[in-house]
Amino acid sequence: MSRPPFPPFDIESATRKVRLAEDAWNSQDPEQVALAYTVDSQWRNRTEFIHGRDEIVAFLTRKWHAEHEYRLIKGLWGFRNNRMAVRFAYEWHDDTGRWFRSYGNEMWEFDATGLMRARFASINDQPITPQDRLFHWPEGARPHGHPGLSDLEDAMRLQRRADTARPEYNPR
């Protein structure tokens, strides 16, 4: 099994790889998403350590049962040979209807067949109001006309500043 584009990456192939990953995660199909990873892929997601496709499927199943109306945008931060640095933000709400925007960075490493063999993610959750949401599209892949992370950064930065000025602001 292989998953193009293949390393070593150039700017075009790295950008394409990131968008393919974003589209896959927005499908919220754990079995399909797991196929982009080696059978022995190693992950760190927040404080959880995940090993292999079976654990990836179990993790993603739990994740998407808890994170409702999930919408994700990824952006390439940098790359070299078979490695990439990716930043992302996603919006979701919990079972009580409380909304969050989660920000993070991922470090990716690929094998020669284009499958990801390592993924290390650091993620922070910011509570938002439903009115603060910026990721508006039907479930599934982000439409190609929808703004990316770089396009939305100013709006997200202004929201964070406004949040810290609210009397009820309480960082975790």
Side-chain angles (χ1 to χ4, degrees):
M1 175 181 216
S2 64
R3 194 70 137 212
F6 307 111
F9 299 108
D10 59 23
I11 187 67
E12 183 180 313
S13 62
T15 301
R16 178 80 180 128
K17 194 76 159 178
V18 171
R19 183 57 193 248
L20 289 168
E22 175 189 315
D23 290 349
W25 279 64
N26 275 324
S27 77
Q28 297 179 58
D29 182 337
E31 296 284 343
Q32 280 300 113
V33 171
L35 293 176
Y37 300 89
T38 61
V39 295
D40 60 348
S41 187
Q42 303 290 306
W43 283 24
R44 182 187 52 75
N45 195 88
R46 299 177 189 258
T47 60
E48 192 166 348
F49 292 83
I50 301 158
H51 307 280
R53 282 192 188 146
D54 290 342
E55 289 185 21
I56 291 169
V57 169
F59 167 80
L60 293 173
T61 300
R62 284 192 318 274
K63 172 185 178 60
W64 290 322
H65 280 297
E67 297 176 355
H68 308 289
E69 295 189 57
Y70 177 92
R71 303 292 186 275
L72 165 72
I73 300 176
K74 291 183 181 278
L76 178 65
W77 187 254
F79 67 94
R80 184 171 150 208
N81 299 324
N82 69 331
R83 293 180 174 178
M84 288 187 206
V86 176
R87 60 197 186 111
F88 62 88
Y90 62 92
E91 295 178 346
W92 58 282
H93 69 81
D94 63 16
D95 288 332
T96 69
R98 190 166 178 208
W99 280 93
F100 297 87
R101 184 174 305 119
S102 300
Y103 298 93
N105 299 296
E106 296 174 298
M107 305 304 286
W108 296 349
E109 183 178 68
F110 296 88
D111 70 7
T113 67
L115 295 176
M116 195 181 302
R117 66 177 163 216
R119 174 185 173 268
F120 303 103
S122 297
I123 306 167
N124 299 297
D125 301 319
Q126 178 186 15
I128 61 172
T129 67
Q131 298 77 19
D132 289 336
R133 291 183 57 222
L134 298 172
F135 303 175
H136 299 283
W137 65 84
E139 187 173 306
R142 174 174 53 101
H144 285 281
H146 192 283
L149 278 184
S150 296
D151 303 316
L152 294 170
E153 263 181 350
D154 287 341
M156 290 187 285
R157 191 174 6 266
L158 289 173
Q159 284 179 350
R160 287 191 301 268
R161 284 189 193 137
D163 286 344
T164 60
R166 293 180 186 162
E168 71 278 7
Y169 177 74
N170 182 17
R172 292 186 225 185

